[in-house]
Amino acid sequence: MDASSLQVRSLTAVDHARWDAFVEQRPEATFFHRAGWATVMQRAFGHAVHFLLAEADGAIRGVLPLVHVRSRLFGDSLASIPFGVYGGILADSPAAFAALDRAACALAEELRVDYLEYRNLEPRHPEWPTKDLYVTFRKALAPEVEANMNAIPRKQRRMVRKGIKAGLTSTFDPDLERFYPIFAANVRRLGTPVFSRRYFETLREVFGDDCRVLTAMHGDQPVASVVTFYFRDEVLPYYGAGTPEARQVAGYDFLYWELMRRACEDGCRVFDFGRSKLDTGSYSFKKNWGFEPQPLYYEYHLVRADAMPNVNPLNPKYRYFIAAWKRLPLPVANWLGPRLSRSLG
C-alpha cells in the first residue's frame, strides 16, 4: 500500500459500525478498542475524545481510540485508553500504524498534554519510557465445565466448593440495583473514590448484552457482584466487589467460578481476569486460580512532563488521602467520589 494514499481523520457517528467491523477482524484487538468507548467517555465523564482512523481507498486500515483527560490534581493526558486495561494502535500495515502514530504524537503536542499513553499488550515503542507496574491474567477455557473446575489449583478449588456448600447461587441482574451499593461501599473501604452510577448505566446502554452484571446470592442477600464485558469469544470480569460477608462464605471465589462456568457453557474460549499491580492482593488471588501473569506495556511519549505519571494507590504521596477517604461517611464518599474518579483513568 502506498503510504501517500492514507488519510487520518476523526471518527464520526456514521463510522461506528465500520470501525467495529475493523476491530472485530483484527486478532490483536480488545474490547477497549470498540467505538462505543467514545460515547461512554463523553456521556459519563465529559472527556474530549479523539478516535482516529486511517483510511485508504475508502477502507479503514487502522484505528486508534484516544481520550483527553484533564485534571488539576492528576495532570493532563491523552491516553489509549483511560479506564481500560488495553488500547493502543490497531493497524493492518506498518504504514497505517506509522500514520496513526504520527497523528497521535502531533495531537499530543498540539493539545499540550503532559504525556501521550498507549496501553499495549505487546511493546510497540521500546525507546519510550515504559511502566512495569501492571500485568494481566488471561487463560484459555476448556470446552467442558468440569475440565475448568479441575484446572483450578486444589486450594482455590476448595474455596469454590466452600461457596457451593454454603448454598450460594448466581444470577444475571437486569440492572445495577444490587451491584452499585456493594461496589460503592467496597471501594470506600479500600480508600478509593467511587465511579458514578451514570458510568455503569452508560456502559450497559452502549454495549448492551456485551456488558452484564452477575451477582452471587446467599439466600436473599447479595454478597458479591461483578460487571463483566464480552468480546468475541472472551469474557472479562471487570468491576467486582463484595460485602464483608463475602469472605466468610467464599463469595468472591464462587462468583468468579460461576462466571467461568457460564462463559464455558456459552462457548467462550478465553477468560481474561484483567490487570493487577505486581505483588498486590488481587495479583495473588488471580495466581491462586492458576493464571500466569503476562506483562503489559504502558508506553509514554512525554510532552510537558519530564517523567512518567505515578497516579496509583501504591504511591506513598497518596497514603494520607487514602486513609482519610476510608473514614468518610459513605453518603459523603458517594457524592464526592464521582467528581474525583473521572480523572483516575
Side-chain angles (χ1 to χ4, degrees), residues 16 34 46 69 88 119 125 153 164 205 211 236 240 246 312 321 341:
H16 279 227
R34 292 183 56 172
V69 178
R119 300 185 176 184
H125 278 290
I164 295 172
E205 290 167 7
C211 177
L236 300 83
N312 78 81
F321 172 86
S341 64

Side-chain angles (χ1 to χ4, degrees), residues 37-325:
W37 283 102
T39 304
V40 171
M41 294 296 157
Q42 291 172 314
R43 189 184 299 171
F45 298 118
H47 293 320
V49 299
H50 302 272
F51 277 40
L52 305 179
L53 60 87
E55 279 184 315
D57 301 320
I60 293 179
R61 308 304 297 269
V63 298
L64 172 58
L66 290 166
V67 181
H68 186 187
V69 178
R70 288 184 280 193
S71 170
R72 293 180 180 177
L73 288 175
F74 305 113
D76 196 350
S77 67
L78 185 65
S80 182
I81 68 168
F83 309 99
V85 174
Y86 316 123
I89 297 172
L90 286 182
D92 64 6
S93 70
F97 180 96
L100 286 165
D101 199 26
R102 286 193 301 270
C105 291
L107 180 62
E109 299 285 346
E110 177 186 335
L111 294 173
R112 297 295 297 155
V113 296
D114 296 323
Y115 56 87
L116 166 68
E117 176 185 9
Y118 293 154
R119 300 185 176 184
N120 300 322
L121 274 162
E122 301 291 340
R124 307 306 294 267
H125 278 290
E127 74 279 10
W128 288 8
T130 305
K131 273 187 182 176
D132 58 2
L133 178 64
Y134 298 109
V135 296
T136 191
F137 294 84
R138 292 167 52 85
K139 187 177 181 181
L141 290 174
E144 303 83 17
V145 170
E146 194 59 28
N148 289 304
M149 173 67 86
N150 292 335
I152 302 171
R154 181 173 55 83
K155 290 183 178 180
Q156 182 59 46
R157 190 163 65 242
R158 187 164 61 240
M159 293 300 294
V160 172
R161 297 198 186 282
K162 178 181 176 180
I164 295 172
K165 291 177 180 177
L168 299 185
T169 58
S170 72
T171 182
F172 280 114
D173 289 343
D175 51 41
L176 299 162
E177 294 307 309
R178 293 194 285 214
F179 165 80
Y180 193 74
I182 295 173
F183 180 78
N186 194 89
V187 296
R188 195 282 304 268
R189 289 194 298 272
L190 295 173
T192 304
V194 67
F195 292 121
S196 69
R197 186 186 182 102
R198 181 59 176 153
Y199 172 50
F200 295 104
E201 290 171 345
T202 305
L203 287 172
R204 287 175 57 79
E205 290 167 7
V206 170
F207 295 118
D209 199 43
D210 290 338
C211 177
R212 307 177 203 170
V213 181
L214 185 69
T215 299
M217 304 290 295
H218 190 208
D220 60 355
Q221 294 298 313
V223 294
S225 191
V226 61
V227 169
T228 301
F229 300 139
Y230 292 80
F231 178 68
R232 296 192 295 218
D233 61 351
E234 302 178 14
V235 56
L236 300 83
Y238 207 65
Y239 294 110
T243 67
E245 184 193 2
R247 296 192 182 278
Q248 301 171 21
V249 294
Y252 290 101
D253 312 273
F254 175 81
L255 178 68
Y256 289 114
W257 163 247
E258 280 292 281
L259 188 67
M260 186 179 293
R261 176 185 67 79
R262 289 169 177 267
C264 173
E265 291 176 345
D266 288 343
C268 291
R269 292 292 173 259
V270 175
F271 194 92
D272 188 331
F273 236 147
R275 82 178 184 190
S276 290
K277 298 179 184 72
L278 290 166
D279 301 322
T280 59
S282 66
Y283 175 94
S284 299
F285 179 76
K286 294 168 186 178
K287 285 204 71 175
N288 289 344
W289 280 78
F291 286 64
E292 288 300 318
Q294 303 170 35
L296 289 173
Y297 300 89
Y298 286 15
E299 299 173 338
Y300 296 86
H301 169 60
L302 303 180
V303 181
R304 291 195 307 166
D306 54 13
M308 290 185 295
N310 189 18
V311 181
N312 78 81
L314 300 181
N315 186 340
K317 70 181 286 189
Y318 296 121
R319 66 179 182 271
Y320 297 115
F321 172 86
I322 292 169
W325 196 269

